[in-house]
Amino acid sequence: MNERKLIGVSFCITYVVLTAACFALVRFGVVTNCYAQAYVLELPIWIQLAIAKAIGLYPVLQELSALTHWGVPYAIVYVGSLYPLYRLGCWVARIDEEALASEEASRPRPHPELEKNCERRAEEIY
């Protein structure tokens, strides 16, 4: 697995772990208020819900939630966000690779003759 994919996967794993922590807070009774539980469970997907509202899909998610268990639209939104998160991690890694490559390219190189002289001197010394 190359570095870009690894960073993309690490973004997804971080997201899954934080979501599991939110569910654990509700499941194990740390958050007991009903409204607070709903808030904590919405934390991992609040950006996706805002996007759904902006593009007009929020009523569809509400209708789907009314027809099925609330977990179905949650899972659709949650799983659908993993791929963009993975691609974001790959993009961040690419930017980092390009920055390192440009830094390496801008580094001054010694003249080839100087390198040969240094090698000869090293051979003479040793």
Side-chain angles (χ1 to χ4, degrees), residues 52-82:
K53 284 180 183 177
I55 62 175
L57 287 178
Y58 194 72
V60 174
L61 291 175
Q62 285 180 322
E63 185 67 30
L64 186 60
S65 182
L67 294 174
T68 63
H69 187 266
W70 64 268
V72 173
Y74 192 96
I76 290 170
V77 170
Y78 185 80
V79 173
S81 64
L82 287 175

Side-chain angles (χ1 to χ4, degrees), residues 4-5 11 16 32 44 52 58 63 94-95:
R4 286 185 195 178
K5 290 181 181 177
F11 273 39
V16 169
T32 55
Y58 194 72
E63 185 67 30
R94 191 190 87 218
I95 289 175

Side-chain angles (χ1 to χ4, degrees), residues 30-103:
V30 176
V31 179
T32 55
N33 184 342
C34 184
Y35 293 109
Q37 287 178 347
Y39 181 75
V40 168
L41 291 176
E42 281 185 359
L43 278 176
I45 60 168
W46 70 270
I47 293 175
Q48 296 89 322
L49 291 176
I51 292 170
K53 284 180 183 177
I55 62 175
L57 287 178
Y58 194 72
V60 174
L61 291 175
Q62 285 180 322
E63 185 67 30
L64 186 60
S65 182
L67 294 174
T68 63
H69 187 266
W70 64 268
V72 173
Y74 192 96
I76 290 170
V77 170
Y78 185 80
V79 173
S81 64
L82 287 175
Y83 182 71
L85 195 58
Y86 168 77
R87 296 302 303 161
L88 176 68
C90 292
W91 179 72
V92 167
R94 191 190 87 218
I95 289 175
D96 187 44
E97 286 174 2
E98 290 173 358
L100 288 175
S102 68
E103 181 181 311

